[in-house]
Amino acid sequence: MAEGAALRAVRGCLAAFPREARELGCVESVPYLDRPPSPLEFYREWVSPNKPCIIRNAIGHWPALRKWTLAYLREVVGHKVVSVAVTPNGYADAVFHDRFVMPEERQMPFMDFLDIVEKKVTSPSVFYVQKQCSNLTEEFPELICDVQPDIPWMSEALGKKPDAVNFWLGESAAVTSLHKDHYENLYCVISGEKRFLLHPPSDRPFIPYELYQAATYKVSEDGSFEIVDEKTAEKVPWIPLDPLNPNLERYPEYAQAKPLQCTVKAGEMLYLPSLWFHHVQQSHGCIAVNYWYDMEYDLKYSYYQLLDCLTKAMKVL
Ligand SMILES: O=C(O)CCC(=O)C(=O)O
């Protein structure tokens, strides 16, 4: 086969792959389970096939569900200095113009942050407690006893403990841009709600990535935001597209991708499988805790890497 014909064949396979994968396993909406599964059932029905679901009645016994009001958090951890992501537009870790821009990570008393969430103090910036890297255990250890250090049936299903347990609390303007990671993610909403827009890993051929100079927001003396380049950092591959308002002229392939959308309410837990693309919004003052279990770097991972490499190669040819 001539080289041109071979390339066309590969391009055709990549364009057909997302639909074929969807026909095999994907659903129109995220299914609900009305009780926590057994470890074997969870592994067999959800982790192994890499399918999301929302689990009800899995965290109803957590004291956090009745205790964690903003007033309670103020009383227990209000005096602590914690890390808060501050941005001008609500987008931490996202593409802005020709940069991948990270938030200013401000150290501030948690009660000052709560003043902003409760609108006792106004600020033109957007604030989000979203440090990840196990900020629940690292920065809010007083709260762990109101949830659990791990999810026992998940730890048993995977044969490991979570790498990180994260605490999330922020303003409604705080949005997490479309991205994917290598965690089996159990996302538990304690109060308010989170809205997820999801794409399976098989949609990769339709999802644009570009390489960006890394930069960080810095608030200047007059309160305006500067964007300061991280000179030594390597370029960051990130998704420039806003799935809520996609620029289809620039990224026409995305028109063929089919997002799944779901809302996770207080008391519910989303299983967000590894390598799924996700974009996240929230109600104002929503409180959530999630558990990141590292994925198995198995054949599924290798197949995804192959899909990723082929998609990138076709873009440059
Ligand atoms: O809740 C959020 O804003 C983002 C969560 C997320 O992206 C993650 O856990 O990987």
Side-chain angles (χ1 to χ4, degrees):
M1 198 191 281
E3 211 170 300
L7 287 178
R8 275 195 299 284
V10 175
R11 209 183 292 281
C13 288
L14 283 176
F17 178 76
R19 183 177 35 81
E20 288 165 5
R22 205 176 300 130
E23 276 165 13
L24 275 181
C26 253
V27 283
E28 299 287 311
S29 60
V30 178
Y32 284 88
L33 310 187
D34 55 18
R35 56 170 181 82
S38 72
L40 176 62
E41 183 189 351
F42 196 66
Y43 193 82
R44 195 169 50 203
E45 305 291 329
W46 307 98
V47 179
S48 174
N50 193 245
K51 285 185 181 168
C53 61
I54 296 173
I55 308 153
R56 289 183 167 141
N57 303 311
I59 58 170
H61 58 292
W62 285 5
L65 280 179
R66 54 189 165 75
K67 282 167 77 178
W68 287 9
T69 59
L70 297 184
Y72 174 82
L73 296 179
R74 185 183 285 274
E75 190 187 310
V76 178
V77 281
H79 62 282
K80 293 196 86 174
V81 172
V82 299
S83 313
V84 182
V86 186
T87 58
N89 54 10
Y91 283 83
D93 301 333
V95 174
F96 183 71
H97 295 153
D98 54 353
R99 296 278 186 278
F100 169 73
V101 193
M102 294 170 279
E104 175 177 297
E105 196 174 285
R106 196 173 296 175
Q107 299 300 306
M108 63 194 283
F110 191 59
M111 63 175 80
D112 292 358
F113 164 75
L114 290 176
D115 284 346
I116 290 164
V117 174
E118 294 188 288
K119 302 196 195 302
K120 291 182 180 160
V121 170
T122 53
S123 166
S125 311
V126 180
F127 292 74
Y128 193 12
V129 171
Q130 60 114 49
K131 187 162 189 279
Q132 304 149 49
C133 310
S134 239
N135 64 336
L136 182 66
T137 40
E138 298 300 313
E139 296 197 333
F140 301 96
E142 302 81 354
L143 298 179
I144 268 283
C145 55
D146 293 335
V147 295
Q148 280 177 296
D150 71 323
I151 304 293
W153 44 265
M154 184 61 153
S155 299
E156 196 177 331
L158 300 182
K160 58 181 135 190
K161 297 283 187 199
D163 275 8
V165 186
N166 306 309
F167 177 83
W168 307 81
L169 167 53
E171 298 188 79
S172 55
V175 176
T176 297
S177 70
L178 191 65
H179 70 287
K180 58 133 186 46
D181 40 52
H182 51 84
Y183 295 114
E184 308 295 351
N185 190 339
L186 287 180
Y187 203 110
C188 310
V189 177
I190 308 294
S191 83
E193 62 181 41
K194 288 261 175 183
R195 292 183 298 283
F196 289 82
L197 180 147
L198 307 172
H199 283 283
S202 51
D203 271 355
R204 172 67 184 93
F206 299 148
I207 297 191
Y209 268 92
E210 285 175 21
L211 281 177
Y212 294 95
Q213 166 71 48
T216 306
Y217 285 118
K218 294 261 176 317
V219 179
S220 356
E221 306 248 303
D222 65 358
S224 65
F225 279 86
E226 271 180 88
I227 294 178
V228 180
D229 281 351
E230 299 287 330
K231 291 251 162 44
T232 52
E234 290 196 358
K235 291 215 162 171
V236 179
W238 206 259
I239 301 168
L241 173 132
D242 175 0
L244 302 177
N245 184 22
N247 181 344
L248 296 178
E249 253 169 55
R250 188 147 179 204
Y251 306 110
E253 297 86 5
Y254 187 73
Q256 298 176 64
K258 282 224 175 96
L260 273 181
Q261 304 209 37
C262 65
T263 299
V264 184
K265 299 204 158 81
E268 295 178 343
M269 173 194 274
L270 169 69
Y271 167 54
L272 174 55
S274 54
L275 304 176
W276 275 63
F277 299 91
H278 47 290
H279 171 279
V280 191
Q281 295 170 283
Q282 61 198 328
S283 59
H284 192 79
C286 171
I287 308 174
V289 169
N290 73 353
Y291 296 79
W292 283 351
Y293 286 83
D294 204 10
M295 72 177 290
E296 282 306 310
Y297 294 92
D298 56 8
L299 205 55
K300 191 159 52 190
Y301 175 77
S302 303
Y303 284 149
Y304 177 80
Q305 291 299 102
L306 176 66
L307 183 64
D308 186 52
C309 288
L310 287 173
T311 305
K312 279 191 215 140
M314 284 295 136
K315 292 263 167 345
V316 295
L317 287 171

